[in-house]
Amino acid sequence: MRTYFNLFLTLTTSLCLAQTTTVSTGGSITIQSTSSWSTSDLSVSGGSVVINSDATNSGTLIATGTGSTSSGGTIAYNRYLDDTDYHIISSPVEGQAVTTFVNNDDNTLATSGTLVGVGKYDNANAKGSRWEWYDTASSFADVNFNTGEGYAIRRTFPGTLSFEGGYPTIETGEVKVTLSTEANRHFWYMVGNPFTAYIPASSTNQSTNTLLSHNIDLLDEAFAALYFFDGEFWTPVNSTTDTFIAPGQAFAVRMVDNNPYEFRIPQSFQEHRTETENFYKETGLLSKLTLYTTDGDRLARTVVIYTDNGTEALDPGYDAGTFEGGQALTLDTKLIDPIGTQNPNFSIQVLSNMHYEKQVIPLAINSTVDKEISFSYEAENLPSYLDVYLEDRLNKKFYNLSERSASFTFSQEEIQTNRFFIHTNSAIPEDDSEGDFQDSSADIAFDFHKLQDKTLYFEGIDQNEPLRIIVYNISGLKVLESSIPISAENNEIKLPATLAQGVYIAIVQRKDGQITTKKIIIQ
């Protein structure tokens, strides 16, 4: 069956056409953010297809066979961004001219002098100079956005980025992105979703086909993940999560070496999805320990996941090394058993869920000298009998983070990799008879949670007590700091109405120093 359109059609639901769809001159199809369109072959001959997205959903178009544009026909994708952070973006269409994109006033790109908020990553450049920015006073590296390549793009306020072009070139059922460099040591690249549909990035099910599993043999085994930028930090996504890549979303990968490789993105991987938030879609439920450190202005974090098959050595596709972004405050782990492999800093480390008390995890910390930092954690689905202890081998002390946070001020000599370790134990990891164990008399019944949207409820406080409350966004930037008196009668506080929807980290400090850390979601 061949379906012709020479009229205007706005699609607000899902539609599946078994064979060829032709949009001829004068015809137009608009696919709204919650809608989808499926066809075998797509021919846009003189007409147009427009696909929209918003803060929570992305419209999708899938052609399982051939896709083409001719006679001035176009496919346009309006990629919504809900903040003013830098995003790593790939064009969902082929042939979008960079200069035309920059000169489109509706894109409202950030500027600084002659520089515009569109950047290309060149890994052959020296550290600190790898992003090359569009300059109105000179030429840009690319005439068109390369298909399947990621670029850093920033708007001046939330809104849409408009891409217009054609269907991506398919070779033997795949979009193939060639990756090569003259660099001898820096093998990072920016790759992106070239399609107008979702792509599965990773899965906890080893039998599921994903972009990671399809290309994992090309990646450095210590960095076998796709790295997504959230505006401040690079978050690795690997086989510990079920994740999907939205149209227009891009990510970083680290290859084995500087040989030319083809990163392959199969056309058959395209999916329609209805999501509750855009960009970096993650599902899944695992036993997880998220460690935090803060210096009062910034927040850093690292993740330990416990599974049936995790080991103390390198687990390619599960452990994920850290993308070094030059942050002033970082927190990572090191492998417990690095013998026979490289041992970079890790953003994600996967360990066994059968040996919690035997696994002692080394930490790697980077902090500003002479500035106090504190450690806390959040546990998900860990056995309730376990406490989390921070070991300081320099001072031969243990701190029970389950009862209160631990704070330190470092001199230059004291910032070292082999100083701090994490234990998960049901009792004190070492004999404290010599006074090495740092206990706390704080009331461990103290807790807080979100009672309703933008309202925090506190329990475990009998008398009036001032609480210091700090809220960070998911990028680690502080968005709120306040000291508020709380009592048994007055045990609720309202968060600012100006907080945008999203995920936040709330840290509450009591007057005795006890710190409680929780993730909250504002809808």
Side-chain angles (χ1 to χ4, degrees):
M1 179 181 69
R2 180 180 293 271
T3 303
Y4 292 90
F5 288 95
N6 58 3
L7 48 79
F8 293 94
L9 171 67
T10 298
L11 192 64
T12 57
T13 186
S14 299
L15 182 63
C16 179
L17 301 174
Q19 296 183 20
T20 300
T21 299
T22 298
V23 185
S24 57
T25 302
S28 175
I29 298 175
T30 300
I31 302 173
Q32 301 292 29
S33 61
T34 56
S35 305
S36 61
W37 181 282
S38 294
T39 186
S40 174
D41 299 322
L42 173 68
S43 174
V44 185
S45 178
S48 65
V49 176
V50 179
I51 310 165
N52 293 321
S53 64
D54 57 29
T56 55
N57 286 285
S58 298
T60 51
L61 166 67
I62 294 178
T64 58
T66 61
S68 65
T69 54
S70 61
S71 303
T74 59
I75 301 172
Y77 201 101
N78 295 318
R79 172 71 273 156
Y80 186 86
L81 301 180
D82 61 358
D83 56 41
T84 59
D85 292 332
Y86 272 107
H87 291 265
I88 311 302
I89 301 289
S90 59
S91 176
V93 298
E94 190 166 86
Q96 169 68 68
V98 177
T99 298
T100 303
F101 178 85
V102 168
N103 291 334
N104 183 347
D105 292 338
D106 291 338
N107 287 332
T108 60
L109 300 172
T111 60
S112 177
T114 61
L115 299 180
V116 180
V118 175
K120 178 183 175 69
Y121 195 78
D122 188 341
N123 58 12
N125 292 344
K127 183 178 180 179
S129 303
R130 293 185 177 122
W131 285 108
E132 297 180 346
W133 301 102
Y134 187 99
D135 192 334
T136 56
S138 60
S139 60
F140 190 62
D142 298 329
V143 175
N144 296 334
F145 288 110
N146 293 326
T147 302
E149 181 175 348
Y151 297 80
I153 299 179
R154 182 184 182 188
R155 286 178 52 92
T156 56
F157 55 84
T160 58
L161 299 173
S162 297
F163 296 89
E164 187 175 281
Y167 197 78
T169 300
I170 306 295
E171 299 179 35
T172 60
E174 298 176 323
V175 170
K176 298 178 180 179
V177 185
T178 300
L179 305 178
S180 64
T181 181
E182 298 176 358
N184 292 324
R185 297 180 61 85
H186 192 77
F187 309 138
W188 290 94
Y189 300 85
M190 301 297 146
V191 182
N193 183 357
F195 294 111
T196 53
Y198 287 90
I199 296 289
S202 62
S203 175
T204 55
N205 186 343
Q206 294 184 1
S207 64
T208 300
N209 290 323
T210 67
L211 206 54
L212 178 60
S213 64
H214 197 64
N215 294 278
I216 196 168
D217 290 341
L218 309 178
L219 305 179
D220 185 317
E221 65 176 2
F223 298 85
L226 311 182
Y227 289 73
F228 292 86
F229 188 62
D230 62 12
E232 183 71 17
F233 300 108
W234 292 88
T235 300
V237 165
N238 59 15
S239 301
T240 61
T241 59
D242 302 310
T243 309
F244 291 85
I245 307 171
Q249 189 170 23
F251 48 89
V253 291
R254 176 164 165 159
M255 312 306 284
V256 174
D257 51 38
N258 64 346
N259 289 328
Y261 292 99
E262 283 188 337
F263 193 93
R264 299 175 297 130
I265 308 174
Q267 184 182 20
S268 61
F269 280 13
Q270 296 179 91
E271 292 187 25
H272 299 301
R273 296 187 64 81
T274 300
E275 303 292 346
T276 57
E277 61 178 45
N278 259 322
F279 272 25
Y280 178 31
K281 309 293 189 304
E282 176 184 333
T283 60
L285 186 64
L286 294 167
S287 298
K288 183 164 65 173
L289 177 65
T290 303
L291 300 166
Y292 298 100
T293 186
T294 178
D295 61 9
D297 294 316
R298 297 280 183 175
L299 182 76
R301 62 186 182 272
T302 191
V303 174
V304 180
I305 295 174
Y306 299 90
T307 70
D308 294 341
N309 301 315
T311 73
E312 296 181 358
L314 179 64
D315 299 311
Y318 293 87
D319 297 328
T322 300
F323 186 105
E324 296 181 1
Q327 292 89 353
L329 179 66
T330 61
L331 176 63
D332 300 294
T333 64
K334 308 287 282 190
L335 293 179
I336 297 176
D337 181 11
I339 297 176
T341 184
Q342 57 179 311
N343 190 18
N345 293 341
F346 285 86
S347 294
I348 296 176
Q349 184 170 170
V350 176
L351 296 172
S352 170
N353 58 13
M354 301 296 291
H355 306 290
Y356 287 107
E357 302 197 40
K358 295 181 179 180
Q359 297 168 141
V360 181
I361 309 165
L363 297 182
I365 302 160
N366 179 58
S367 173
T368 303
V369 174
D370 296 328
K371 190 166 188 178
E372 184 180 79
I373 68 169
S374 61
F375 294 89
S376 58
Y377 77 94
E378 180 182 20
E380 299 177 42
N381 306 308
L382 290 184
S384 58
Y385 61 83
L386 292 177
D387 284 335
V388 178
Y389 296 86
L390 176 70
E391 179 187 3
D392 178 1
R393 291 190 178 174
L394 179 65
N395 295 309
K396 299 181 180 180
K397 296 180 185 293
F398 285 84
Y399 300 83
N400 188 343
L401 298 182
S402 301
E403 295 183 350
R404 63 182 302 164
S405 67
S407 299
F408 302 87
T409 300
F410 298 131
S411 66
Q412 186 62 53
E413 307 80 54
E414 291 177 323
I415 300 177
Q416 50 186 269
T417 300
N418 297 316
R419 175 176 176 179
F420 293 103
F421 296 80
I422 287 293
H423 300 251
T424 49
N425 283 72
S426 57
I428 300 170
E430 297 284 348
D431 185 356
D432 67 332
S433 59
E434 297 182 1
D436 288 343
F437 177 68
Q438 302 298 296
D439 204 350
S440 169
S441 59
D443 182 5
I444 60 174
F446 172 80
D447 200 3
F448 75 95
H449 58 268
K450 194 181 74 167
L451 182 63
Q452 56 188 7
D453 202 29
K454 297 184 180 178
T455 300
L456 296 183
Y457 171 79
F458 295 84
E459 57 188 5
I461 294 181
D462 297 326
Q463 299 178 347
N464 190 62
E465 178 181 337
L467 299 181
R468 182 185 179 209
I469 300 172
I470 307 176
V471 178
Y472 297 89
N473 63 20
I474 199 62
S475 299
L477 297 177
K478 183 167 60 178
V479 297
L480 172 67
E481 180 173 4
S482 181
S483 293
I484 300 174
I486 294 293
S487 65
E489 294 77 22
N490 182 25
N491 59 356
E492 295 180 10
I493 67 166
K494 292 281 188 181
L495 296 174
T498 54
L499 278 184
Q501 66 178 17
V503 179
Y504 295 86
I505 304 299
I507 298 177
V508 176
Q509 182 177 20
R510 300 186 69 179
K511 63 182 180 181
D512 64 0
Q514 178 191 2
I515 289 181
T516 304
T517 303
K518 283 199 172 183
K519 182 187 300 179
I520 59 175
I521 299 175
I522 303 297
Q523 298 175 334

